[in-house]
Amino acid sequence: MADTKITTINPFTEEVIETYPLMSDEEADKVVRASHEAFLEWKMKSLDERAKIIAAIGKKLSEKKDEFAQLMRREVGKLIRDSRDEIDLCAAICAYTAKEGPVALADDEREVDGATAFVSHSPIGVVYGIQPWNFPAYQAVRYSIASLMAGNGVLLKHAENCTGSGEYLRDLYEEAGLPKGLFGVLRISHDQSDAIIAHDLVRGVTMTGSDTAGRHIAAKAGEVVKKTVLELGSNDAYLVLDDADLDLAIKTCVQGRLYNNGQTCVNAKRFIVTEKNYDAFVEGYAKRFGAVRMGDPMDGDTQLGPMVSREQRDKLHEQVEKSVSNGARLVVGGEMPDREGWFYPATVLADVEPGQPAYEDELFGPAASIIKAKDDMDAMRIANSSRYGLGGGIFSKDVERAKKLAAEHFDTGMIFINSFDLASPSLPFGGVKDSGYGREHGPEGLKEFVNAKAIKVASKAAA
Ligand code: NAD
């Protein structure tokens, strides 16, 4: 029999946090209808009125930062400092959207021969979001705030592991003044989710997660001709070129791999190092990874917390073992620790080559893949040979050349030069190839779920 409830479990203690009943089809339908009803009023509010409420949500997030951060730590094992940073990023997204949303979404006058014309960015209706557990607050905030600014209603089906965070966010939005029901949370199965995609009142679907799930969801939306945005996984490459500052590259690539317990779509995952620097990079990287402190996410000294679930941890271990049996060199880690909590040690695989999961797939946890390239252009070729294309990085002292490589050759959505970074509220975020399509953040993200309506008025002469 299919599950009728969701149980959340603390990955550090393996203890049950909470049990929630799944909604019936009728209950889910009610949530969709409530969002649509609220949308009918919300869409009539001016951009400035909507912006005021979004700014208030940002303030409320900051006020409740610690409480929300603790909930995320319990639900997904996130380090407490990463949890607090995540709420700061959410508040920054609200502040950016409240300020720039009215500018990006304002009517846009266009020149047309013999007529006046403008483009109105009209809301489309209820947008359905399906989100993963790795950033319980940020994933839900980034699409919902943009869609609410645009005048849409929003639904959230969060990952089961962070059910509490989804409901917390809904209550927080309403406390900050968002009309009741406009942001609706669904506790539903994947089969029920297919029916929500097909629901007449749902007008768009945005999904963040694995490419396997993305293909299914986009196909379902395609059957009913609904627009999708897909933010999927990746195995982001960081190139260490001949002229790189090696100390900076090693330090940054270690942080970039470990951030969020290694479970971020844009974590640095494959390190492609030219022959010149290869041995020194492997040695320096392994030294730092070997010294990583694994432990309690509440402890300020902890660098690596547990993985979100036993399944994710076991999957990573399998990928590491298969890579080694296919020829990768295990330099550090790789052994399942005998302790409570779903921990996996910081692991370094070197001499990674095609045919190994560490080369071909996404390793969604604290395992680094180091790949040797002949020279700079070979490194670029290897990076682009991936089926994914979300983010990536370049380490080089020649910043102008790195900028050109990024713009002209790197086949991904986001490139960081001499650094590792996540998302910025003003910059488009999203990928190409199996990493999905569409963008969040920036004016690009604000316009994903609007109807760009062309309105043309005949001139007197033409009339
Ligand atoms: P997942 O695809 O298994 O799950 C993500 C969400 O999709 C969950 O809510 C899940 O319940 C739902 N889902 C899965 N199959 C579904 C179906 N058939 N119908 C409806 N909903 C379905 O992903 P995961 O393993 O939990 O998350 C990790 C993945 O997400 C990684 O690949 C990671 O890189 C990716 N990710 C991408 C981004 C991005 O912005 N591009 C951000 C974060 C995570």
Side-chain angles (χ1 to χ4, degrees), residues 131 133 139 142 157 190 208-210 231-233 265 362 429:
Q131 299 301 321
W133 43 264
Q139 290 298 342
R142 72 175 183 182
K157 191 213 85 62
H190 292 172
T208 298
S210 61
E231 295 282 0
L232 308 177
C265 50
E362 178 180 38
F429 186 105

Side-chain angles (χ1 to χ4, degrees), residues 338-349:
D338 180 19
R339 60 179 290 175
E340 191 174 80
W342 297 314
F343 285 94
Y344 197 74
T347 296
V348 179
L349 295 169

Side-chain angles (χ1 to χ4, degrees), residues 39-54:
F39 154 73
L40 294 176
E41 282 192 29
W42 180 246
K43 72 173 191 168
M44 301 314 294
K45 298 218 180 291
S46 69
L47 288 165
D48 287 339
E49 282 175 299
R50 290 181 217 148
K52 251 189 219 140
I53 293 188
I54 282 165

Side-chain angles (χ1 to χ4, degrees), residues 67-133:
E67 194 174 84
F68 202 173
Q70 294 291 1
L71 174 58
M72 295 197 293
R73 172 191 61 79
R74 283 197 301 278
E75 288 197 318
V76 300
K78 194 181 268 279
L79 301 189
I80 191 67
R81 66 166 177 276
D82 291 349
S83 303
R84 292 188 181 118
D85 287 351
E86 182 175 336
I87 303 296
D88 286 342
L89 175 59
C90 293
I93 290 167
C94 294
Y96 168 84
T97 307
K99 182 163 176 273
E100 297 300 333
V103 180
L105 296 167
D107 290 348
D108 184 5
E109 287 194 14
R110 299 284 170 93
E111 275 191 29
V112 184
D113 277 348
T116 57
F118 68 101
V119 177
S120 140
H121 302 105
S122 302
I124 56 169
V126 175
V127 173
Y128 173 37
I130 302 170
Q131 299 301 321
W133 43 264

